[in-house]
Structures are given as C-alpha cells and as structure tokens.
Amino acid sequence: MSIAVSVVVPAYNASRTIEGCVQSLLRLSAQSPPHEIIVVDNGSDDSTAEIVRNYPRITLMEERAVRGPSAARNAGARAATGDILAFTDADCVVTPDWLVLGVVPLADLGVCGVAGLIKGVEPKNEIQEWMNSRNILDARAALANAFRPYVQTANAFFRRTDFWKVNGFDVSLLCGEDCDLSWRIIEATGGRLALVTDALVYHDHRSSVRGLFRQSSKNARAAAYLAEKWGGVLPAKHWKTSVWEVLDLTRCGAHYAGVSITVKPRSERINAKLDFLHRLGRKHGMIASAWRTGQYSRW
C-alpha cells in the first residue's frame, strides 16, 4: 500500500508569496506519493485566504486562537490524514520531485526525520543576492549542530505518529521550535535525521535591510529560549565564544567603516554593510532573548 503524505503550510499575511508556493505544490511530479495540501491561515488581515480559495485542490484552514507558525502547523497536522507530514513555508517554492525524494529515507525505520536543502530564489536585489551567497538557511549546518541535529521547517518530513508522540510543536517557544521538535522526536524514537540534497525548496529571502536585521536577530534568539526549556541538558555557551562574537562584530564594523570611506567597488561596500548588519542583528537577538529568559550566559 502506498504511503500518503500531508503537506502543511502555515501562512500569515503571505499574499505576496502564497500563490507561488501553492502553484509549485500543484506542479509536483506525477510520481509523487498520494498527498493532500493543507494551508493554515494564521489570522491574516490581507488577501492570503482569498488567494488560496482560488485553488479548489488546496484545503484551507484557519488558526486564529493562537498566533505563530507552530500553532498553525499543529492545526494542519491535526487535520492531516497522511502517514507522513511534509512541512514548507508560504514564502517557499518547492521543486517538482520534492515529495518523491523527501519521503524515501523514512522507509528506513531508523530514520525519524528528513531535511531537504533550502536555497534562495533568483535574487531580486543585492540583499537577496548577499543572503544567497551566505547560504543563510543551510540544512547541512543544522544537521551538524553541536548539541543535536535538527531540520528546518521550511523543508522537513516527519512520520505523523512520531510528530504526535511528542505532541507536535511547542507553541510556547517564540523561536527555535524546529530544533526543539527535532530533538524531542530523536529522544522519543531513538532515530536519526537524514538529508536529501535533491529534495529542494527555494526560499524568498528578506529583501530589505530591516528584514535582514530582524531575521538575523530572530534566528539568534533561539539559543536562550532553548536553554531555558532544556535546562542543564543543553551545553553551556563558553564565555570565550561571547567575547569572540563581540570582537568579530567590532572587526566587521571596522571593515565596513573602512570600506565606506575609501574608493571601493559598490558590491564590496554592500557586502561589508550586510555582513555587519547580520552580525549586529544576531548579537541583538542573543542579548534580547538572554535578558528576557534570564539565560544571561547566552548573550
């Protein structure tokens, strides 16, 4: 009997990107396993829901009671009927063989989750070009995490039974919910995570300086929230690492200042600025979440 898949896409004010996402899901290869596509509108006040309603093959749900992608994904997973849950995001475009390839490792009962690669879409400006060059959402780096590997929810596959064995995503976590879910599933099943490099999705990276800074800050906040939840299990951050990060930020800022006041190619000036803003955003996120959670060593 064939394995069925439920694709779950959380969406909040995604009118700019949701149509491209939905259309790519409807263009999945004919060799794909039987599947349903569930888009969960998380209380949008734009035209996200109206756009999705134009596609009868898509199941549109609403999750307004609890905000956040974790709550939306859990709502989609509750409605899912497939044996496997496949997650991507409203600002992603999947490749035709995404499902065909992504589910293959789960035939091995020793595998409890699968990650596919996440690349940037064709860049619309220099900021997206920089984000593509820095491989901001690197699945290989996530799977090489020093504590435990994890998969990023822009491109992730889990068995539905394993997902609910750990009660799905923790909606109380403001950041790092993908790490937390992966780690809990690994603990509960004793399984391992697999990478399928050809199960590709393309992510529409932030295209403004403000968006880049906020994304960098948000990604860096996860460490303190995870340390708060995982207590003494998560290895402590060494003070030398924090000092190195400050020195690296200072060095990067000095390089940006030097490039700005000398005659350098525009591309070099742009890259220096964005490198600095990325590091500044990350340090901002670390400090903000350390202060909020009381995990002061995580700054």
Side-chain angles (χ1 to χ4, degrees):
M1 190 168 95
S2 355
I3 296 296
V5 182
S6 296
V7 179
V8 178
V9 183
Y12 174 70
N13 285 351
S15 59
R16 185 178 65 83
T17 59
I18 190 63
E19 190 154 32
C21 176
V22 164
Q23 289 179 351
S24 73
L25 290 168
L26 293 174
R27 290 195 298 266
L28 285 168
S29 165
Q31 284 70 50
S32 298
H35 59 275
E36 60 184 351
I37 303 167
I38 303 170
V39 174
V40 186
D41 180 21
N42 197 209
S44 301
D45 54 19
D46 66 358
S47 59
T48 297
E50 287 74 11
I51 292 170
V52 177
R53 287 192 189 99
N54 290 328
Y55 297 91
R57 288 174 54 197
I58 306 294
T59 299
L60 175 65
M61 296 180 55
E62 287 193 347
E63 170 54 76
R64 293 182 174 272
V66 183
R67 285 293 177 89
S70 291
R73 292 186 187 105
N74 284 349
R78 278 192 292 272
T81 60
D83 307 285
I84 293 171
L85 299 174
F87 293 100
T88 191
D89 289 334
D91 54 2
C92 291
V93 171
V94 306
T95 48
D97 288 333
W98 178 59
L99 278 192
V100 174
L101 299 170
V103 302
V104 170
L106 290 170
D108 179 349
L109 295 180
V111 173
C112 61
V114 178
L117 290 188
I118 306 165
K119 296 185 177 182
V121 298
E122 187 70 27
K124 302 177 184 67
N125 61 17
E126 290 161 316
I127 295 171
Q128 288 193 330
E129 187 173 340
W130 176 89
M131 295 186 82
N132 286 358
S133 70
R134 299 305 188 265
N135 200 10
I136 292 297
L137 297 176
D138 186 357
R140 292 185 181 94
L143 289 169
N145 182 269
F147 173 53
R148 282 178 190 162
Y150 66 95
V151 300
Q152 299 167 99
T153 43
N155 192 351
F157 299 81
F158 299 102
R159 292 185 190 86
R160 184 159 59 101
T161 52
D162 292 341
F163 181 86
W164 287 120
K165 188 178 292 184
V166 299
N167 297 316
F169 288 98
D170 183 347
V171 299
S172 71
L173 279 175
L174 299 182
C175 304
E177 69 278 1
D178 47 4
C179 298
D180 174 66
L181 177 71
S182 298
W183 296 346
R184 287 185 288 119
I185 288 178
I186 290 170
E187 276 197 346
T189 65
R192 65 185 186 278
L193 303 180
L195 173 68
V196 181
T197 56
D198 290 333
L200 278 171
V201 306
Y202 287 90
H203 181 261
D204 194 350
H205 291 316
R206 303 296 186 268
S207 58
S208 68
V209 166
R210 182 169 179 263
L212 166 62
F213 181 87
R214 292 181 66 180
Q215 186 66 54
S216 299
S217 177
K218 178 179 181 293
N219 289 346
R221 290 169 187 255
Y225 290 111
L226 290 168
E228 182 182 38
K229 176 172 181 177
W230 284 76
V233 178
L234 196 64
K237 181 179 181 180
H238 198 285
W239 66 267
K240 289 182 180 179
T241 302
S242 295
V243 171
W244 180 87
E245 288 167 352
V246 172
L247 292 175
D248 183 57
L249 176 61
T250 304
R251 178 200 61 76
C252 194
H255 176 65
Y256 170 46
V259 167
S260 298
I261 61 176
T262 56
V263 180
K264 294 287 184 181
R266 173 181 168 82
S267 60
E268 188 173 340
R269 296 198 308 272
I270 291 290
N271 286 340
K273 176 182 180 180
L274 298 179
D275 282 337
F276 174 64
L277 285 174
H278 173 59
R279 286 169 169 77
L280 183 63
R282 285 190 58 79
K283 184 50 68 176
H284 171 269
M286 292 174 196
I287 293 171
S289 57
W291 179 266
R292 179 165 184 165
T293 61
Q295 300 290 322
Y296 299 115
S297 65
R298 298 286 165 175
W299 73 270

